[in-house]
Amino acid sequence: MNHDERWILEALKEARAALQEDEVPVGAVVVKDGEIVARAHNLSRQQNDPTLHAEVLALREAQKQLGSLTGCTLYVTMEPCAMCAGAMVLLKLPRLVFGAFDPSCGCTGSRVDLTDHWFYHSVETWGGVLEGDCAALLTEFFQRKR
């Protein structure tokens, strides 16, 4: 198991917590120097607030803890949307690793890539890490809803 897989497994723990809370099962962790500095999962449905994505919540907490995201990597179980990709650019996140691709709304490669030279900061991005495990949780959630 490589480092990226290790941290995606931690993000999957958050995604499973979201699933237990009837949230879209997306989890995120922010890692710096081999340590998790923030972790979160989606809270949009509980709080009736579409901005409460796992990525935004984890990035907010990391920024609060560290003051700067220099040297950090965000690990998230699903490809970020436009809002989350924009937050990464504005916060100057150096690196993103995600699990499942989102062909309908993904904005770090699938639909567009807002993190790659569109703005003043680019985020190094890697997708598809433990993609099957990450996608399985999303499939389970949406099958329950049908």
Side-chain angles (χ1 to χ4, degrees):
M1 176 181 313
N2 67 39
H3 292 292
D4 289 342
E5 290 171 342
R6 172 185 177 200
W7 299 120
I8 287 289
L9 287 172
E10 289 296 321
L12 274 164
K13 289 178 185 177
E14 288 294 320
R16 287 186 192 98
L19 184 65
Q20 294 292 93
E21 297 171 18
D22 198 35
E23 290 283 349
V24 177
V26 177
V29 295
V30 177
V31 175
K32 181 174 184 174
D33 298 328
E35 300 288 330
I36 295 174
V37 295
R39 58 188 322 134
H41 58 270
N42 279 3
L43 294 175
S44 299
R45 293 168 55 88
Q46 284 180 44
Q47 302 291 324
N48 196 30
D49 182 344
T51 68
L52 298 180
H53 289 193
E55 301 95 307
V56 168
L57 294 169
L59 290 168
R60 283 180 185 165
E61 182 60 28
Q63 178 76 15
K64 183 177 169 184
Q65 295 290 326
L66 302 171
S68 164
L69 298 183
T70 301
C72 291
T73 299
L74 173 65
Y75 292 89
V76 63
T77 57
M78 183 173 155
E79 181 180 2
C81 68
M83 174 185 69
C84 296
M88 289 178 243
V89 170
L90 292 172
L91 289 166
K92 298 181 182 174
L93 179 74
R95 186 168 183 259
L96 163 70
V97 177
F98 67 87
F101 286 88
D102 183 358
S104 58
C105 296
C107 288
T108 60
S110 287
R111 295 297 272 172
V112 296
D113 190 350
L114 298 178
T115 61
D116 187 24
H117 307 293
W118 280 83
F119 303 104
Y120 63 91
H121 175 75
S122 294
V123 180
E124 177 187 342
T125 301
W126 297 94
V129 177
L130 297 179
E131 181 177 10
D133 295 331
C134 295
L137 281 181
L138 292 159
T139 299
E140 179 182 343
F141 176 80
F142 289 110
Q143 283 179 341
R144 285 183 189 178
K145 296 297 172 193
R146 291 185 182 128

